[in-house]
Short mmCIF file of all heavy atoms in Angstrom, two decimals:
data_model
loop_
_atom_site.label_atom_id
_atom_site.label_comp_id
_atom_site.label_asym_id
_atom_site.label_seq_id
_atom_site.Cartn_x
_atom_site.Cartn_y
_atom_site.Cartn_z
N TYR A 154 -51.77 233.01 -61.21
CA TYR A 154 -51.53 231.79 -61.98
C TYR A 154 -51.37 232.09 -63.47
O TYR A 154 -50.39 231.69 -64.09
CB TYR A 154 -52.66 230.78 -61.75
CG TYR A 154 -52.45 229.53 -62.57
CD1 TYR A 154 -51.40 228.66 -62.28
CD2 TYR A 154 -53.25 229.25 -63.66
CE1 TYR A 154 -51.15 227.54 -63.05
CE2 TYR A 154 -53.02 228.12 -64.44
CZ TYR A 154 -51.97 227.28 -64.13
OH TYR A 154 -51.74 226.17 -64.90
N VAL A 155 -52.33 232.80 -64.08
CA VAL A 155 -52.33 232.89 -65.55
C VAL A 155 -51.28 233.86 -66.08
O VAL A 155 -50.78 233.67 -67.19
CB VAL A 155 -53.73 233.25 -66.13
CG1 VAL A 155 -54.78 232.28 -65.64
CG2 VAL A 155 -54.11 234.68 -65.84
N GLU A 156 -50.91 234.87 -65.30
CA GLU A 156 -49.95 235.86 -65.83
C GLU A 156 -48.54 235.28 -65.98
O GLU A 156 -47.75 235.79 -66.76
CB GLU A 156 -49.95 237.13 -64.98
CG GLU A 156 -51.15 238.03 -65.30
CD GLU A 156 -51.12 239.39 -64.60
OE1 GLU A 156 -50.27 239.58 -63.71
OE2 GLU A 156 -51.95 240.24 -64.97
N GLN A 157 -48.27 234.17 -65.27
CA GLN A 157 -46.93 233.58 -65.42
C GLN A 157 -46.74 233.01 -66.83
O GLN A 157 -45.62 232.74 -67.25
CB GLN A 157 -46.68 232.52 -64.35
CG GLN A 157 -47.62 231.36 -64.41
CD GLN A 157 -47.39 230.35 -63.29
OE1 GLN A 157 -46.27 229.90 -63.07
NE2 GLN A 157 -48.45 230.01 -62.58
N PHE A 158 -47.84 232.82 -67.56
CA PHE A 158 -47.75 232.34 -68.95
C PHE A 158 -47.71 233.50 -69.94
O PHE A 158 -47.77 233.29 -71.15
CB PHE A 158 -48.92 231.41 -69.24
CG PHE A 158 -48.95 230.20 -68.34
CD1 PHE A 158 -49.67 230.23 -67.15
CD2 PHE A 158 -48.21 229.07 -68.65
CE1 PHE A 158 -49.68 229.13 -66.30
CE2 PHE A 158 -48.21 227.97 -67.81
CZ PHE A 158 -48.94 228.00 -66.63
N GLY A 159 -47.72 234.73 -69.41
CA GLY A 159 -47.69 235.91 -70.28
C GLY A 159 -49.05 236.33 -70.80
O GLY A 159 -49.15 237.19 -71.68
N TYR A 160 -50.10 235.72 -70.28
CA TYR A 160 -51.45 236.01 -70.76
C TYR A 160 -52.02 237.28 -70.13
O TYR A 160 -51.59 237.69 -69.05
CB TYR A 160 -52.39 234.84 -70.41
CG TYR A 160 -52.06 233.53 -71.11
CD1 TYR A 160 -52.53 232.34 -70.57
CD2 TYR A 160 -51.33 233.49 -72.28
CE1 TYR A 160 -52.26 231.12 -71.18
CE2 TYR A 160 -51.06 232.27 -72.90
CZ TYR A 160 -51.53 231.10 -72.35
OH TYR A 160 -51.27 229.90 -72.96
N GLY A 161 -53.02 237.85 -70.80
CA GLY A 161 -53.69 239.05 -70.31
C GLY A 161 -55.00 238.69 -69.61
O GLY A 161 -55.80 237.92 -70.14
N VAL A 162 -55.21 239.28 -68.44
CA VAL A 162 -56.46 239.07 -67.68
C VAL A 162 -57.43 240.21 -68.03
O VAL A 162 -57.13 241.38 -67.78
CB VAL A 162 -56.19 239.11 -66.16
CG1 VAL A 162 -57.50 238.98 -65.38
CG2 VAL A 162 -55.21 238.01 -65.76
N VAL A 163 -58.58 239.86 -68.59
CA VAL A 163 -59.57 240.87 -68.98
C VAL A 163 -60.08 241.59 -67.73
O VAL A 163 -60.43 240.96 -66.73
CB VAL A 163 -60.73 240.21 -69.76
CG1 VAL A 163 -61.86 241.20 -70.00
CG2 VAL A 163 -60.21 239.65 -71.08
N ARG A 164 -60.11 242.92 -67.79
CA ARG A 164 -60.54 243.75 -66.66
C ARG A 164 -62.00 244.20 -66.77
O ARG A 164 -62.65 244.43 -65.76
CB ARG A 164 -59.68 245.01 -66.56
CG ARG A 164 -58.18 244.76 -66.45
CD ARG A 164 -57.85 244.02 -65.19
NE ARG A 164 -56.47 244.20 -64.76
CZ ARG A 164 -55.44 243.47 -65.17
NH1 ARG A 164 -55.61 242.50 -66.05
NH2 ARG A 164 -54.23 243.72 -64.69
N GLU A 165 -62.47 244.40 -68.02
CA GLU A 165 -63.77 245.05 -68.21
C GLU A 165 -64.95 244.18 -67.81
O GLU A 165 -66.05 244.68 -67.60
CB GLU A 165 -63.96 245.47 -69.67
CG GLU A 165 -63.19 246.72 -70.06
CD GLU A 165 -61.77 246.41 -70.50
OE1 GLU A 165 -61.26 245.30 -70.24
OE2 GLU A 165 -61.17 247.30 -71.12
N PHE A 166 -64.75 242.87 -67.76
CA PHE A 166 -65.82 241.96 -67.38
C PHE A 166 -65.34 241.16 -66.18
O PHE A 166 -64.17 240.80 -66.09
CB PHE A 166 -66.19 241.03 -68.54
CG PHE A 166 -66.61 241.77 -69.77
CD1 PHE A 166 -65.73 241.99 -70.81
CD2 PHE A 166 -67.89 242.29 -69.88
CE1 PHE A 166 -66.10 242.70 -71.95
CE2 PHE A 166 -68.29 243.00 -71.02
CZ PHE A 166 -67.39 243.20 -72.05
N VAL A 167 -66.27 240.90 -65.26
CA VAL A 167 -65.89 240.28 -63.98
C VAL A 167 -66.93 239.23 -63.57
O VAL A 167 -68.03 239.20 -64.13
CB VAL A 167 -65.78 241.35 -62.86
CG1 VAL A 167 -64.65 242.34 -63.17
CG2 VAL A 167 -67.11 242.09 -62.67
N GLY A 168 -66.57 238.41 -62.60
CA GLY A 168 -67.54 237.50 -62.00
C GLY A 168 -68.48 238.28 -61.10
O GLY A 168 -68.38 239.50 -60.95
N HIS A 169 -69.39 237.53 -60.44
CA HIS A 169 -70.51 238.21 -59.77
C HIS A 169 -71.19 237.29 -58.77
O HIS A 169 -71.15 236.07 -58.92
CB HIS A 169 -71.51 238.66 -60.82
CG HIS A 169 -71.89 237.58 -61.80
ND1 HIS A 169 -72.97 236.74 -61.61
CD2 HIS A 169 -71.30 237.15 -62.95
CE1 HIS A 169 -73.03 235.89 -62.61
NE2 HIS A 169 -72.03 236.09 -63.44
N GLY A 170 -71.87 237.91 -57.81
CA GLY A 170 -72.81 237.15 -56.99
C GLY A 170 -73.96 236.67 -57.86
O GLY A 170 -74.22 237.23 -58.93
N ILE A 171 -74.63 235.60 -57.41
CA ILE A 171 -75.74 235.03 -58.19
C ILE A 171 -76.72 234.37 -57.23
O ILE A 171 -76.32 233.86 -56.19
CB ILE A 171 -75.19 234.04 -59.25
CG1 ILE A 171 -76.33 233.43 -60.08
CG2 ILE A 171 -74.31 232.97 -58.63
CD1 ILE A 171 -75.83 232.67 -61.31
N GLY A 172 -77.99 234.41 -57.60
CA GLY A 172 -79.02 233.80 -56.73
C GLY A 172 -80.38 234.00 -57.33
O GLY A 172 -80.72 233.40 -58.34
N ARG A 173 -81.18 234.90 -56.73
CA ARG A 173 -82.49 235.26 -57.27
C ARG A 173 -82.35 236.08 -58.54
O ARG A 173 -83.32 236.25 -59.29
CB ARG A 173 -83.27 236.06 -56.23
CG ARG A 173 -83.96 235.19 -55.21
CD ARG A 173 -85.06 234.40 -55.90
NE ARG A 173 -85.94 233.77 -54.93
CZ ARG A 173 -86.80 232.82 -55.27
NH1 ARG A 173 -86.88 232.38 -56.51
NH2 ARG A 173 -87.57 232.28 -54.35
N ALA A 174 -81.18 236.63 -58.74
CA ALA A 174 -80.87 237.36 -59.98
C ALA A 174 -79.62 236.75 -60.59
O ALA A 174 -78.79 236.15 -59.88
CB ALA A 174 -80.64 238.84 -59.70
N LEU A 175 -79.50 236.91 -61.92
CA LEU A 175 -78.31 236.39 -62.60
C LEU A 175 -77.05 237.10 -62.12
O LEU A 175 -76.02 236.47 -61.92
CB LEU A 175 -78.49 236.59 -64.12
CG LEU A 175 -77.34 236.18 -65.03
CD1 LEU A 175 -77.05 234.69 -64.91
CD2 LEU A 175 -77.66 236.55 -66.48
N HIS A 176 -77.17 238.41 -61.96
CA HIS A 176 -76.02 239.20 -61.50
C HIS A 176 -76.38 239.90 -60.20
O HIS A 176 -77.26 240.75 -60.17
CB HIS A 176 -75.60 240.23 -62.56
CG HIS A 176 -75.07 239.58 -63.80
ND1 HIS A 176 -75.56 239.84 -65.05
CD2 HIS A 176 -74.08 238.68 -63.97
CE1 HIS A 176 -74.89 239.12 -65.95
NE2 HIS A 176 -73.99 238.41 -65.32
N GLU A 177 -75.72 239.52 -59.13
CA GLU A 177 -75.90 240.16 -57.83
C GLU A 177 -74.55 240.70 -57.37
O GLU A 177 -73.51 240.38 -57.93
CB GLU A 177 -76.41 239.13 -56.79
CG GLU A 177 -77.77 238.54 -57.12
CD GLU A 177 -78.28 237.59 -56.03
OE1 GLU A 177 -77.51 237.24 -55.10
OE2 GLU A 177 -79.46 237.21 -56.11
N ASP A 178 -74.59 241.45 -56.28
CA ASP A 178 -73.34 241.84 -55.62
C ASP A 178 -72.75 240.60 -54.97
O ASP A 178 -73.50 239.71 -54.58
CB ASP A 178 -73.62 242.89 -54.53
CG ASP A 178 -73.92 244.26 -55.14
OD1 ASP A 178 -73.53 244.49 -56.30
OD2 ASP A 178 -74.55 245.07 -54.43
N PRO A 179 -71.44 240.53 -54.79
CA PRO A 179 -70.45 241.54 -55.20
C PRO A 179 -69.94 241.27 -56.61
O PRO A 179 -70.19 240.22 -57.17
CB PRO A 179 -69.32 241.27 -54.20
CG PRO A 179 -69.35 239.76 -54.04
CD PRO A 179 -70.81 239.38 -54.12
N GLN A 180 -69.21 242.24 -57.17
CA GLN A 180 -68.42 241.97 -58.36
C GLN A 180 -67.20 241.15 -57.95
O GLN A 180 -66.68 241.34 -56.86
CB GLN A 180 -67.96 243.28 -59.00
CG GLN A 180 -69.11 244.09 -59.57
CD GLN A 180 -68.68 245.10 -60.60
OE1 GLN A 180 -67.50 245.44 -60.70
NE2 GLN A 180 -69.62 245.57 -61.39
N VAL A 181 -66.80 240.24 -58.82
CA VAL A 181 -65.65 239.38 -58.52
C VAL A 181 -64.62 239.50 -59.65
O VAL A 181 -64.65 238.74 -60.61
CB VAL A 181 -66.09 237.90 -58.34
CG1 VAL A 181 -64.90 237.05 -57.91
CG2 VAL A 181 -67.23 237.78 -57.35
#
Side-chain angles (χ1 to χ4, degrees):
Y154 178 68
V155 306
E156 282 187 349
Q157 62 183 308
F158 300 92
Y160 295 159
V162 176
V163 172
R164 304 297 203 273
E165 283 87 344
F166 302 99
V167 296
H169 49 92
I171 180 169
R173 278 293 193 194
L175 177 61
H176 294 126
E177 297 184 351
D178 286 339
Q180 293 200 343
V181 185

